[in-house]
């Protein structure tokens, strides 16, 4: 993959994932194959969230007065908001914002819903489209102006301790989610100047894309009582005192799908994990005239058997060359292809080919087939995840010398370094190098004699710096 950006645009188009020719910048269309991948991704996400959250759905529009009520929050978003000012021929009395995120839509309602400690913790989420007037270069899925798949969870708790615990629970859940998608990640606490507008602190998941740039693929924010004070979200506690709730929110977007595609792809196309592949197995009949029906019938029988075991299977019976079918399903990233021709049928075997190693193996067409295939796709999943993690781990390099940062990053790495944690020092480092501090990955032992990469002050943390999307 020499030119990642070109590869990415090509694959979205050729594999029928996204069509970005829609005549509004930053807004694109999900094509049916992409839509299926998106559905499976959402299914997984809902399954994880529904363990202890409930899904809801808010309106898209937010009254101006509500959006601007939380001053720090609005400052962070004011340059990114799309406004609706007219209804038909009439000017609206109040401007309405297309939600860039929904804190200011949701929290006034939380203030009505939450009354006593018995209403807590409250854990709701929605999966909606949001709009951000991004001024940086837009890219489908990665930086869109309409984020079509924005998962936002919003929780409220009685104490700070519980909200901190919720942050940890989200971290666990995200780990599980990204593992299902074969997306390796770095977790860090964003520096104070890069946290979510209105948050006490932000924990972010980043991955390293094939071009070495990092992509923020998920965030978890502890909002403290900033919003509950602004929107008056109070509860009566056991001691009859009225207190402000402590809140968190956590977001994911289409970027997750971008990362899954980019990290697991190669020059032949996609390598989708079986969790999200529209078809986990594609059967390709090799049709010769006199045997056509026998072959097709056997393919249908195999498909049914595998489907009964819960696998997603399709048969490509298009009237085109088998070679073209192989090419297409390699491009579309089906984890396992099965090929059945007249000779195979006679020998009672089928040829299996995993998308990751492209090895062809003959499998007996008997009652062991389903079991063997399941083992195969498990190995496939393990292998693509292992490769993805190896890539990430090989591209995180530690240095104690600030003069090495630029070279390491330009070679496609994220750089880990010892840091004092001071804002001034961090900002200077960003300015001097032109890269971004992702955040703190680890706190150092307070007894340690290690010094900050920039000066002689004691280092408190290990932090990451990178070229970011
Ligand atoms: C919140 N509020 O909003 P966040 N295109 C695609 N993905 C994007 C874009 C974009 N233009 N901008 C951000 N993301 C909080 C949490 C409710 C939920 C993705 O947080 O502003 C990024 O992966 O950090 C980001 O981590 C996630 O949306 C959440 O957005």
């Amino acid at each position: 993959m020499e030119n990642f950006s070109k590869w990415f645009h090509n694959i979205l188009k050729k594999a029928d994932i996204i069509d970005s020719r829609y005549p509004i910048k930053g807004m694109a269309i999900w094509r049916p194959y992409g839509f299926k991948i998106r559905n499976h991704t959402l299914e997984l996400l809902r399954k994880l969230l529904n363990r202890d959250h409930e899904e809801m759905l808010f309106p898209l529009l937010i009254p101006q007065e509500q959006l601007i009520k939380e001053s720090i929050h609005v400052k962070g978003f004011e340059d990114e908001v799309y406004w609706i000012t007219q209804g038909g021929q009439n000017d609206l009395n109040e401007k309405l914002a297309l939600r860039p995120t929904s804190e200011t839509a949701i929290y006034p309602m939380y203030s009505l819903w939450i009354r006593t400690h018995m209403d807590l913790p409250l854990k709701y989420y929605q999966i909606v489209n949001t709009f951000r007037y991004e001024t940086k270069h837009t890219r489908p899925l990665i930086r869109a102006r309409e984020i079509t798949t924005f998962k936002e969870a919003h929780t409220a708790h009685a104490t700070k301790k519980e909200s901190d615990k919720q942050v940890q629970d989200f971290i666990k859940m995200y780990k599980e989610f990204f593992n299902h998608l074969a997306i390796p990640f770095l977790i860090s606490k964003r520096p104070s100047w890069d946290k979510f507008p209105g948050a006490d602190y932000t924990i972010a998941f980043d991955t390293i894309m094939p071009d070495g740039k990092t992509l923020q693929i998920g965030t978890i924010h502890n909002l403290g009582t900033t919003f509950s004070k602004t929107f008056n979200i109070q509860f009566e506690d056991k001691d009859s005192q009225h207190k402000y709730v402590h809140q968190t929110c956590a977001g994911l977007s289409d970027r997750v799908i971008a990362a899954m595609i980019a990290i697991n792809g190669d020059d032949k196309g996609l390598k989708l994990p079986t969790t999200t592949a529209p078809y986990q197995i594609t059967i390709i009949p090799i049709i010769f005239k006199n045997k056509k029906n026998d072959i097709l019938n056997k393919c249908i029988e195999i498909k049914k058997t595998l489907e009964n075991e819960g696998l997603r299977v399709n048969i490509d019976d298009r009237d085109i060359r088998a070679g073209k079918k192989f090419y297409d399903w390699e491009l579309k990233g089906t984890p396992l292809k099965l090929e059945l021709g007249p000779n195979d049928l006679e020998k009672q075997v089928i040829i299996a080919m995993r998308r990751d190693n492209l090895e062809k193996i003959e499998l007996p067409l008997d009652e062991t087939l389903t079991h063997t295939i399941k083992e195969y796709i498990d190995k496939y999943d393990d292998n693509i995840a292992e490769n993805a993690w190896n890539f990430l781990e090989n591209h995180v390099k530690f240095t104690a010398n600030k003069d090495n940062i630029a070279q390491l990053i330009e070679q496609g790495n994220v750089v880990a370094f010892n840091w004092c944690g001071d804002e001034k020092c961090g900002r200077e480092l960003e300015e001097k190098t032109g890269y971004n501090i992702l955040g703190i990955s680890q706190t150092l032992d307070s007894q340690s004699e290690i010094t900050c990469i920039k000066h002689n002050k004691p280092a408190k943390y290990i932090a990451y710096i990178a070229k970011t999307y």
Side-chain angles (χ1 to χ4, degrees):
M1 203 184 291
E2 227 164 72
N3 180 339
F4 167 68
S5 187
K6 202 167 145 202
W7 177 90
F8 187 66
H9 279 86
N10 259 333
I11 200 78
L12 292 184
K13 188 169 152 202
K14 282 169 122 184
D16 271 338
I17 295 168
I18 291 281
D19 194 330
S20 44
R21 290 173 297 179
Y22 195 72
I24 302 181
K25 185 176 150 71
M27 302 193 188
I29 299 130
W30 280 99
R31 300 262 304 136
Y33 192 73
F35 197 76
K36 288 188 182 75
I37 298 174
R38 178 179 181 269
N39 272 349
H40 291 302
T41 309
L42 288 179
E43 239 170 72
L44 270 174
L45 183 59
R46 284 200 165 92
K47 206 165 148 192
L48 294 176
L49 277 163
N50 289 345
R51 286 176 185 166
D52 66 342
H53 280 66
E54 286 179 282
E55 188 167 2
M56 58 169 184
L57 183 59
F58 264 73
L60 164 65
L61 302 181
I62 307 176
Q64 179 177 29
E65 193 194 344
Q66 234 167 270
L67 187 90
I68 63 175
K69 206 163 172 185
E70 210 318 291
S71 57
I72 309 171
H73 182 68
V74 72
K75 237 176 155 289
F77 278 103
E78 62 193 353
D79 293 337
E80 291 185 16
V81 179
Y82 281 93
W83 290 103
I84 293 186
T85 56
Q86 267 187 298
Q89 304 294 326
N90 302 325
D91 289 338
L92 299 180
N93 290 336
E94 185 176 18
K95 287 204 288 185
L96 301 172
L98 296 188
R99 59 181 162 221
T101 169
S102 307
E103 283 73 10
T104 59
I106 294 173
Y107 298 164
M109 299 309 295
Y110 275 16
S111 124
L112 302 175
W113 297 340
I114 296 170
R115 288 272 152 264
T116 78
H117 60 91
M118 296 206 298
D119 299 322
L120 300 173
L122 182 142
K123 303 184 189 188
Y124 292 164
Y125 75 95
Q126 62 176 3
I127 302 175
V128 293
N129 55 349
T130 54
F131 293 82
R132 294 185 181 181
Y133 183 73
E134 295 278 0
T135 45
K136 275 195 187 172
H137 182 64
T138 58
R139 287 168 204 273
L141 303 179
I142 291 177
R143 178 165 283 105
R145 286 185 169 174
E146 179 183 13
I147 310 173
T148 65
T149 318
F150 190 74
K151 184 283 293 175
E152 46 180 329
H154 295 271
T155 73
H157 308 266
T159 62
K160 170 168 165 43
K161 198 170 157 204
E162 283 174 46
S163 68
D164 286 332
K165 161 86 171 40
Q166 182 60 47
V167 169
Q168 294 306 316
D169 288 350
F170 275 132
I171 293 176
K172 265 193 229 148
M173 197 204 89
Y174 278 12
K175 282 184 180 173
E176 212 178 329
F177 180 59
F178 290 126
N179 284 338
H180 280 309
L181 303 181
I183 301 175
F185 46 79
L186 299 169
I187 303 173
S188 64
K189 184 173 178 181
R190 285 278 183 264
S192 54
W193 61 93
D194 194 24
K195 61 188 186 186
F196 183 68
D200 280 2
Y201 64 90
T202 290
I203 305 290
F205 280 64
D206 296 278
T207 194
I208 308 178
M209 297 294 261
D211 59 359
K213 286 202 233 169
T214 61
L215 182 68
Q216 173 179 292
I217 46 170
T219 39
I220 303 158
H221 314 289
N222 191 315
L223 304 174
T225 52
T226 307
F227 288 88
S228 63
K229 284 181 178 150
T230 305
F231 292 103
N232 195 27
I233 316 176
Q234 294 194 45
F235 69 102
E236 191 180 331
D237 209 348
K238 286 176 196 145
D239 55 11
S240 300
Q241 299 281 312
H242 286 265
K243 296 174 186 169
Y244 289 109
V245 295
H246 292 259
Q247 293 180 272
T248 82
C249 66
L252 297 170
S253 80
D254 311 71
R255 278 190 189 176
V256 165
I257 297 171
M260 175 174 66
I261 286 172
I263 289 164
N264 298 300
D266 63 17
D267 286 336
K268 287 185 183 291
L270 304 175
K271 267 183 264 159
L272 294 170
T274 58
T275 47
T276 60
Y279 311 108
Q280 297 158 326
I281 295 152
T282 291
I283 306 177
I284 299 176
I286 312 290
I287 296 170
F288 284 86
K289 279 200 180 94
N290 55 344
K291 291 272 188 219
K292 183 173 175 182
N293 284 344
D294 292 352
I295 302 254
L296 279 179
N297 287 339
K298 190 68 190 174
C299 289
I300 293 168
E301 186 191 316
I302 296 168
K303 178 173 188 273
K304 277 192 188 142
T305 314
L306 296 172
E307 280 176 344
N308 284 341
E309 291 291 317
L311 295 163
R312 296 192 290 271
V313 189
N314 68 332
I315 299 175
D316 186 349
D317 57 4
R318 289 177 297 168
D319 193 12
I320 55 171
R321 280 185 306 111
K324 168 76 173 127
K325 296 183 189 181
F326 279 102
Y327 174 88
D328 284 352
W329 293 108
E330 268 154 32
L331 178 79
K332 289 195 168 186
T334 296
L336 191 74
K337 292 191 290 298
L338 295 176
E339 168 193 339
L340 186 74
N343 291 342
D344 309 317
L345 190 59
E346 211 156 280
K347 276 169 66 187
Q348 282 295 297
V349 295
I350 195 161
I351 313 297
M353 195 203 249
R354 259 166 58 176
R355 172 64 181 87
D356 54 341
N357 54 21
L358 300 175
E359 245 172 45
K360 280 191 172 193
I361 301 220
E362 220 178 67
L363 304 177
L365 265 178
D366 58 21
E367 69 291 343
T368 61
L369 187 69
T370 314
H371 180 74
T372 320
I373 283 179
K374 279 192 163 174
E375 268 184 6
Y376 253 60
I377 59 177
D378 279 352
K379 278 192 199 140
Y380 164 88
D381 275 334
D382 290 348
N383 189 40
I384 61 165
E386 195 183 318
N387 284 340
W389 273 102
N390 282 342
F391 175 82
L392 181 120
E393 279 159 8
N394 289 334
H395 287 88
V396 179
K397 301 268 159 54
F398 179 86
T399 183
N401 179 352
K402 63 178 184 306
D403 298 332
N404 288 343
I405 292 177
Q407 194 191 5
L408 286 168
I409 292 182
E410 290 310 320
Q411 285 166 353
N413 300 297
V414 168
V415 172
F417 64 99
N418 297 320
W419 186 37
C420 61
D422 290 348
E423 175 161 349
K424 188 166 167 280
C425 164
R427 282 184 185 271
E428 271 176 22
L429 193 64
E430 286 190 333
E431 253 164 54
K432 286 228 167 91
T433 57
Y435 305 118
N436 289 108
I437 295 184
L438 295 182
I440 292 164
S441 77
Q442 200 185 317
T443 304
L444 293 169
D445 182 350
S446 58
Q447 308 299 318
S448 84
E449 312 240 303
I450 299 170
T451 54
C452 174
I453 194 165
K454 211 164 159 291
H455 42 210
N456 271 333
K457 280 193 200 163
K460 291 188 192 148
Y461 311 105
I462 295 182
Y464 297 128
I465 185 163
K467 207 186 235 185
T468 58
Y469 264 98

